[in-house]
Amino acid sequence: MATVESYDVRSVDRGEVLRYLGYAGQPITPELDARIDEVVARCLAACRPRGSWGVFDVAARGEKGGVPVISLAGTSLELRGRSIAEHLDGAVAVGALAVTVGMGVEAELRRLSLTDPLTQVVFDAAGTAAVERAADAAEASVVADAASRGLFCGSRFSPGYGDLPLATQPVLLAALDAQRALGITLSRELLMSPTKSVTAVVGLFEQPRGTAHASCAGCPCRDFCVLLRSGSTCRG
């Protein structure tokens, strides 16, 4: 059963916005600096971040056509590919998540493409940073669920990374009831609408996984962490 949530994303990492803009250390004028802040604020005001997530036990591991396949209990979702098999090596369960910042951002991007292409570029970068923050919030919920089971989370891995095919998208979204709950749909090319949407899976392990969530100070989920607010951490 998937859990549907709304998220309070009030800020984004400005460095991430600049990275999405292709910033490589070149000088930024005070006027452009202020413009970026203004557009980021406009984007955040248009965002309605929501997510759907669930945790599924690993039912089986095998191969089909020489390709590793991980099957998840209670769903028809199969994770295919050597990269995801390596990423989830040893996982006893998998958290799946889908998030979006909503159609308000999508509509404004379309409007700006016709009226103000420069602002659209900055707004698009801000929207990408915002949906990643929404994904951090959904991942924080998976981390808390894992901790309640005495398990530890790895890091996010999305369809299209490595050799995990985009064809994973329809079944992943269906497992989370994301079309009904979040309004996320797919094109024939398996691209999501709203475009500022993210899907991912996270492995749950019996032992801490490398550097994933290794410290609260550097954890991307920190601002949304239920465990931290209660005085504990996912590391026990």
Side-chain angles (χ1 to χ4, degrees):
M1 175 69 83
T3 299
V4 179
E5 300 172 328
S6 295
Y7 304 118
D8 186 12
V9 177
R10 300 186 182 186
S11 65
V12 296
D13 185 332
R14 198 171 189 277
E16 285 295 286
V17 175
L18 291 175
R19 183 170 69 85
Y20 294 133
L21 287 171
Y23 177 71
Q26 58 269 45
I28 298 178
T29 65
E31 293 78 14
L32 179 56
D33 203 45
R35 182 73 175 276
I36 290 172
D37 287 342
E38 175 195 348
V39 174
V40 168
R42 283 174 55 186
C43 181
L44 289 172
C47 287
R48 298 295 181 269
R50 302 184 73 232
S52 179
W53 62 272
V55 174
F56 309 94
D57 292 335
V58 172
R61 295 175 185 270
E63 286 194 1
K64 293 184 179 179
V67 177
V69 177
I70 299 172
S71 301
L72 303 183
T75 173
S76 56
L77 181 59
E78 292 183 333
L79 304 174
R80 300 172 178 243
R82 299 192 181 282
S83 54
I84 191 63
E86 180 179 345
H87 191 76
L88 297 178
D89 184 31
V92 297
V94 173
L97 62 90
V99 298
T100 184
V101 293
M103 286 303 298
V105 170
E106 192 84 352
E108 183 64 5
L109 281 170
R110 290 174 183 169
R111 188 187 72 80
L112 289 171
S113 70
L114 301 173
T115 62
D116 191 345
L118 176 59
T119 296
Q120 184 211 16
V121 171
V122 180
F123 197 96
D124 184 80
T128 301
V131 76
E132 288 296 333
R133 290 298 284 148
D136 292 339
E139 185 179 342
S141 295
V142 175
V143 169
D145 187 87
S148 73
R149 302 169 187 238
L151 300 174
F152 303 87
C153 279
S155 54
R156 294 199 297 267
F157 198 103
S158 292
Y161 289 5
D163 60 351
L164 179 63
L166 276 178
T168 307
Q169 295 280 49
V171 187
L172 193 160
L173 290 170
L176 298 173
D177 196 19
Q179 180 171 353
R180 181 193 64 80
L182 307 177
I184 297 176
T185 60
L186 289 173
S187 69
R188 290 182 179 179
E189 295 76 26
L190 302 177
L191 301 178
M192 289 184 285
S193 178
T195 55
K196 299 309 177 186
S197 302
V198 167
T199 59
V201 295
V202 181
L204 278 62
F205 303 86
E206 292 179 335
Q207 299 296 326
R209 182 74 163 178
T211 59
H213 308 285
S215 73
C216 294
C219 181
C221 301
R222 176 186 174 91
D223 291 344
F224 309 101
C225 185
V226 175
L227 298 171
L228 193 59
R229 290 198 295 270
S230 67
S232 61
T233 76
C234 63
R235 291 281 167 150

